[in-house]
């Protein structure tokens, strides 16, 4: 059939959009046309340079903006799926037999579920499942389901055949996402019903609907990717080789690690500052990049701990209060990035009075924070993070060790990867079933920032990034493109 474009469909959210943009750019580097199919709600976040490339195209799917209210987010997600499905059917019908027909559709596994795969299957377009998260979380979910280790006793570690011993499951691993009280509290603060699965206590991705899945249950991506010809994952064999090999053996189809999918400037700026404003559209913030650089320049090398929970997840108000008290009680200087809407309120959380108490030891950023810049500055010595995959690989590539505070989904396994497999950090608490205490946070910060061995291991891991985009990812990218042709 005519055509040869590779279409890429991200899920909702910038954490899914940005890796998809980078994947498109990699496809064009092999002289293949890449078309990004994106909701109009996310289209403004696509850089102008992407539009200008001769081998990239952007198809914008009209979508209604999300409503407020108790069911606003969930209704928006469901309507967005229906709009996208109808739009794709009309688009594919109009392009039948043309030079713009897709040879393959790379579907984020969060949109591949049901309708998306069915639409492309109906038109005879091959699909590839795309994980914007890493290989460890997918492999651990699959192994936990296949092994059905739901009878683990307290104090026991259950090894998972085919995976590293240090990644064995514990009772905490299995029960960590069943904290109904925490989920209900978050849902009430957000205006959702008590049974909402869109909060940080859920193991299901934001907006997928249905009851939360517990560890040990069938992973949500298994059935939808059944018809996919391959899986592509935002990682590389250098970083997560055992997990990619496990997945390939289990699913019986090619599994390629073509990441980490970070901007070109990230790979070209080894040893120097990465300027976020040159890479991603700037958003509203109370500081400029110059403000951040001046503040970091005033601090000793490796002395600053950076605190951020990403753009789409967050703590409860009580947890934010505990964190504020811990940062006050710690002796280390810190940058704390707080997103709008954090703490479950429209206004967002703010630690009133904290700056006056700690003075020049704190830089509190409300709104957009230049994370790549912060992580690449020599004064940054630690990262208190939720361990979202984008944040995880950004810090790994710059040799910044972690104090992991996972909140939902793949973040728990990312934290386990960081603390147990790569050994480049610690968990803020070993028990996910209880509220984290102030003393644990203070102790964790001190332990992380004073541990030279952890810093050395983090620097060693970052070494695989110093030569630019990992060689193993280049090899898998070529294998992926060759497979399609």
């Amino acid at each position: 059939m005519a055509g040869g474009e590779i279409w890429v469909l991200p899920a909702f959210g910038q954490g899914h959009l940005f890796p998809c943009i980078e994947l498109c750019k990699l496809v064009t580097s092999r002289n293949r046309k890449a078309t990004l199919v994106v909701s109009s709600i996310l289209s403004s976040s696509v850089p102008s340079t992407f539009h200008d490339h001769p081998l990239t195209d952007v198809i914008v799917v009209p979508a209604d903006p999300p409503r407020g209210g108790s069911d606003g987010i969930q209704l928006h997600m469901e309507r967005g799926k229906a709009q996208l499905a109808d739009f794709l059917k009309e688009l594919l019908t109009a392009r039948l037999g043309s030079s713009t027909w897709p040879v393959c559709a790379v579907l984020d596994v969060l949109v591949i579920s049901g309708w998306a795969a069915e639409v492309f299957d109906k038109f005879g377009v091959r699909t590839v499942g795309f994980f914007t998260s890493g290989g460890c979380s997918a492999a651990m979910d699959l192994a936990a389901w296949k092994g059905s280790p739901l009878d683990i006793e307290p104090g026991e570690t259950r090894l998972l055949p085919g995976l590293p011993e240090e990644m064995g499951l514990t009772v905490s691993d299995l029960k960590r996402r069943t904290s109904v009280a925490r989920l209900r509290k978050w849902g009430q603060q957000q205006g959702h019903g008590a049974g909402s699965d869109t909060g940080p206590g859920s193991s299901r991705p934001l907006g997928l609907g249905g009851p939360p899945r517990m560890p040990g249950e069938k992973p949500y991506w298994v059935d939808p990717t059944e018809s996919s010809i391959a899986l592509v994952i935002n990682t590389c064999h250098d970083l997560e080789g055992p997990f990619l090999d496990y997945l390939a053996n289990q699913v019986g189809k090619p599994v390629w690690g073509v990441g980490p999918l970070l901007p070109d400037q990230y790979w070209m700026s080894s040893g120097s500052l990465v300027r976020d404003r040159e890479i991603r559209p700037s958003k509203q913030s109370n500081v400029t990049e110059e403000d951040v650089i001046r503040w970091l320049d005033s601090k000793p090398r490796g002395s600053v701990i950076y605190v951020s929970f990403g753009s789409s997840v967050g703590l409860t108000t009580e947890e934010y209060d505990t964190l504020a008290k811990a940062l006050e009680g710690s002796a280390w200087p810190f940058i704390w990035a707080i997103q709008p809407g954090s703490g479950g309120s429209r206004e967002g959380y703010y630690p009133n009075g904290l700056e006056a108490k700690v003075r020049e030891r704190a830089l509190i950023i409300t709104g957009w924070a230049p994370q790549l810049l912060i992580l690449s500055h020599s004064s940054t010595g630690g990262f208190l993070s939720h361990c979202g995959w984008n944040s995880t690989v950004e810090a790994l590539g710059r040799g910044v060790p972690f104090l992991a505070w996972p909140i939902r989904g793949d973040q728990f396994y990312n934290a386990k990867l960081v603390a147990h497999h790569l050994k480049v950090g610690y968990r803020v608490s070993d028990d996910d079933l209880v509220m984290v205490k102030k003393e644990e946070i203070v102790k964790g910060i001190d332990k992380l920032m004073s541990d030279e061995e952890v810093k050395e291991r983090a620097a060693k891991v970052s070494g695989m990034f110093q030569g630019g985009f990992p060689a193993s990812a280049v090899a898998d990218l070529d294998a992926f493109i060759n497979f399609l042709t």
Side-chain angles (χ1 to χ4, degrees):
M1 182 171 288
E5 295 185 5
I6 296 175
W7 287 14
V8 180
L9 279 71
F12 292 100
Q14 291 189 350
H16 295 269
L17 173 64
F18 290 142
C20 287
I21 288 175
E22 298 305 323
L23 178 61
C24 287
K25 289 160 65 175
L26 286 178
V27 168
T28 64
S29 73
R30 295 309 186 259
N31 202 34
R32 299 299 298 268
K33 184 171 182 179
T35 297
L36 183 71
V37 184
V38 63
S39 164
S40 58
I41 297 169
L42 287 177
S43 60
S44 62
S45 296
V46 179
S48 59
T49 53
F50 185 86
H51 291 271
D52 297 337
H53 196 286
L55 288 178
T56 58
D57 192 14
V58 179
I59 297 175
V60 178
V61 182
D64 298 327
R67 291 187 324 166
S70 62
D71 62 348
I73 293 179
Q74 192 66 28
L75 280 176
H76 166 64
M77 295 295 183
E78 295 304 322
R79 289 171 180 168
K81 293 176 185 178
Q83 287 175 321
L84 182 53
D86 291 341
F87 183 90
L88 286 174
K89 291 174 185 176
E90 294 177 5
L91 183 64
L92 289 168
T93 299
R95 293 194 177 193
L96 273 170
S98 74
S99 61
T100 56
W101 184 259
V103 67
C104 171
V106 179
L107 306 180
D108 188 318
V109 292
L110 298 194
V111 299
I112 198 174
S113 180
W115 63 268
E118 290 173 4
V119 170
F120 285 104
D121 287 346
K122 179 180 178 180
F123 284 88
V125 177
R126 297 177 294 176
T127 60
V128 170
F130 176 41
F131 292 78
T132 56
S133 54
C136 172
S137 58
M140 293 290 290
D141 266 338
L142 188 63
W145 167 56
K146 285 183 173 291
S148 300
L150 299 179
D151 58 343
I152 296 178
E153 299 293 333
E156 178 188 1
T157 298
R158 183 72 57 83
L159 301 184
L160 298 173
L163 292 177
E165 289 186 9
E166 65 272 14
M167 299 301 288
L169 294 181
T170 65
V171 169
S172 181
D173 286 319
L174 292 180
K175 295 183 177 180
R176 52 179 161 71
R177 305 182 214 183
T178 62
S179 180
V180 176
R182 186 176 189 278
L183 176 56
R184 182 181 294 114
K185 179 69 173 177
W186 188 92
Q188 290 170 345
Q189 291 174 341
Q190 292 290 333
H192 301 304
S196 169
D197 71 330
T198 58
S202 169
S203 66
R204 293 294 302 279
L206 183 65
L208 282 184
R213 290 182 184 271
M214 308 307 175
E217 293 187 3
K218 193 174 189 178
Y220 69 90
W221 53 267
V222 171
D223 289 337
T225 58
E226 188 71 29
S227 62
S228 297
I229 60 174
L231 302 180
V232 171
I233 304 184
N234 181 14
T235 189
C236 62
H237 277 83
D238 300 299
L239 192 62
E240 294 189 291
F243 307 100
L244 293 179
D245 292 341
Y246 175 85
L247 287 169
N249 290 333
Q250 294 296 319
V251 301
K253 61 185 68 174
V255 175
W256 293 297
V258 297
L261 293 164
L262 300 171
D264 294 339
Q265 293 90 331
Y266 182 94
W267 301 110
M268 297 186 295
S269 61
S270 177
S272 60
L273 284 181
V274 183
R275 302 300 292 259
D276 294 65
R277 68 185 181 191
E278 298 173 359
I279 302 171
R280 296 167 178 167
S282 296
K283 297 187 176 182
Q284 188 172 359
S285 176
N286 65 326
V287 298
T288 65
E289 287 194 350
E290 285 67 30
D291 294 332
V292 176
I293 292 172
R294 281 193 294 270
W295 188 88
L296 283 167
D297 284 346
S298 71
K299 301 296 179 283
R301 183 181 183 89
S303 67
V304 175
I305 184 157
Y306 172 49
V307 181
S308 175
F309 293 90
S311 59
S312 61
V313 301
L315 307 176
T316 64
T317 301
E318 290 84 352
E319 288 168 324
Y320 272 116
D321 285 337
T322 301
L323 175 57
K325 293 174 182 176
L327 292 172
E328 177 188 347
S330 171
W332 298 90
F334 61 90
I335 294 179
W336 188 2
I338 307 176
Q339 292 293 326
S342 56
S345 67
R346 292 184 181 276
E347 300 77 18
Y349 179 84
Y350 194 81
N352 291 311
L354 180 61
E355 289 170 301
K357 294 175 182 176
V358 299
R359 299 185 180 181
E360 70 279 354
R361 192 163 58 81
L363 176 62
I364 299 176
I365 301 176
T366 56
W368 180 82
Q371 179 160 296
L372 295 177
L373 186 155
I374 294 169
L375 292 173
S376 61
H377 197 286
S378 61
S379 293
T380 303
F383 188 12
L384 175 50
S385 170
H386 64 309
C387 284
W389 188 242
N390 287 337
S391 292
T392 299
V393 292
E394 287 170 3
L396 287 174
R398 287 297 176 264
V400 179
F402 293 81
L403 184 58
W405 189 340
I407 296 174
R408 73 165 186 232
D410 67 310
Q411 298 160 15
F412 290 96
Y413 286 138
N414 297 340
K416 198 175 184 78
L417 173 78
V418 163
H420 294 186
H421 183 65
L422 298 176
K423 295 180 172 58
V424 292
Y426 302 102
R427 294 284 300 272
V428 70
S429 173
D430 291 328
D431 190 349
D432 297 310
L433 308 181
V434 298
M435 182 75 75
V436 175
K437 300 179 177 63
K438 168 194 167 184
E439 293 74 19
E440 290 179 304
I441 303 172
V442 174
K443 181 180 178 181
I445 293 174
D446 287 342
K447 184 178 181 180
L448 178 72
M449 301 298 285
S450 303
D451 193 329
E452 294 301 323
E453 291 185 3
V454 162
K455 292 182 179 180
E456 289 176 6
R457 286 194 292 270
K460 185 176 180 180
V461 169
S462 73
M464 69 179 66
F465 292 58
Q466 298 309 306
F469 194 60
S472 64
V474 173
D476 273 19
L477 172 66
D478 289 335
F480 167 54
I481 298 297
N482 290 336
F483 182 79
L484 294 181
T485 57

